[in-house]
Amino acid sequence: MAMLSNQELIRRVPLFAMLSSAQADALATNVAKARIKRGAHVVEQGKNSNALFLILAGRAHVVMTDNKAREVIVATLKAGDYIGEMSLIDNEAHSATVVADTQMDVLVLGRDDFTRCVGENAAIASAVMRGLVQRLRSADQKIVSLALMGVYGRVANVLLDTAEPNENGELLIREKISRLDLAKMVGASREMVSRVMKDFEEQGFVQTLKDGGLRVWERRSKPR
């Protein structure tokens, strides 16, 4: 990250891909590069950071906690995603905590610069709105899943949503997902999720790989 200029880093962020050279140069003077350690909180539920964080490298998860300290993971974030725009738009505290799953490299843009950037560029304002709509649709799907599907269906949905095809078209989850994190994603106990995963492996829906990742089949198919 240190070898690249702020202008070059900005060009790597999809949200700012439509900026002109002059706009990118102007924005580059107002962003700061930061490195976030694994396990650190990027933003915290109930607090206000007054900044937009743009992920250049690394991965994080978004977790919400109720008044009984129960947690649910509502999303995972990766390079190209951004954090904190809702709080910047409505000036309210963050509705969730974002925790770094790995070391992360980010660009940090303050509230005033974000507001000016959105106000001066309709394309960026539109991109931010599309991002908010996508998050709303994702939240709607999660609500339906929790309300209408059993634990088996919810776990299956998370696995299929997380998996990505490799060059052979196989669906793989390359990063190991702990049973506890999976339980927080589907709103069930760790013991129940462990039972579901054991059943899925026995039925041939998933196969655990040597590196801890998973191979996922959309239909029942015993691994060879």
Side-chain angles (χ1 to χ4, degrees):
M1 183 176 68
M3 299 298 293
L4 298 176
S5 68
N6 281 5
Q7 290 93 331
E8 291 171 317
L9 291 172
I10 285 171
R11 289 299 186 188
R12 292 188 169 196
V13 178
L15 179 63
F16 296 138
M18 67 288 296
L19 289 178
S20 68
S21 296
Q23 289 172 323
D25 289 343
L27 184 61
T29 63
N30 296 309
V31 296
K33 291 173 281 192
R35 177 158 288 173
I36 299 172
K37 294 181 179 180
R38 178 184 178 186
H41 291 180
V42 185
V43 300
E44 294 189 36
Q45 182 175 334
K47 297 183 179 180
N48 198 324
S49 60
N50 288 312
L52 182 74
F53 299 85
L54 303 122
I55 303 176
L56 298 172
R59 190 183 71 252
H61 67 268
V62 183
V63 59
M64 300 183 73
T65 307
D66 67 9
N67 56 12
K68 295 182 179 179
R70 294 175 298 192
E71 296 182 345
V72 58
I73 295 176
V74 297
T76 56
L77 304 174
K78 58 185 183 302
D81 290 327
Y82 45 91
I83 302 162
E85 79 285 358
M86 292 174 59
S87 183
L88 293 180
I89 290 171
D90 65 9
N91 203 30
E92 296 290 334
H94 296 294
S95 58
T97 296
V98 177
V99 184
D101 292 326
T102 65
Q103 178 176 278
M104 296 173 61
D105 290 333
V106 300
L107 288 177
V108 185
L109 183 66
R111 174 185 294 277
D112 292 342
D113 295 311
F114 170 78
T115 301
R116 182 170 57 254
C117 188
V118 170
E120 293 177 352
N121 193 296
I124 288 181
S126 178
V128 171
M129 285 191 292
R130 286 197 302 272
L132 291 172
V133 170
Q134 288 170 357
R135 293 191 184 188
L136 180 59
R137 290 184 185 278
S138 178
D140 287 344
Q141 291 173 355
K142 196 170 189 69
I143 290 170
V144 170
S145 175
L146 289 171
L148 302 179
M149 299 183 72
V151 178
Y152 279 78
R154 299 203 298 271
V155 172
N157 273 354
V158 168
L159 295 176
L160 288 170
D161 288 344
T162 306
E164 296 180 350
N166 64 6
E167 62 276 4
N168 298 320
E170 298 173 319
L171 292 176
L172 299 179
I173 300 176
R174 301 183 186 278
E175 302 289 342
K176 183 177 180 180
I177 304 177
S178 72
R179 297 294 187 263
L180 179 58
D181 282 349
L182 190 53
K184 291 178 181 179
M185 292 178 187
V186 301
S189 69
R190 179 170 54 184
E191 292 75 17
M192 182 63 192
V193 167
S194 295
R195 189 180 313 141
V196 170
M197 290 297 293
K198 181 179 179 181
D199 286 348
F200 279 174
E201 289 193 344
E202 291 177 349
Q203 295 170 22
F205 287 115
V206 298
Q207 178 187 15
T208 301
L209 305 176
K210 292 181 179 179
D211 60 2
L214 293 172
R215 181 179 286 116
V216 182
W217 282 269
E218 293 188 70
R219 295 181 178 86
R220 183 177 305 181
S221 175
K222 280 287 184 181
R224 298 177 180 177

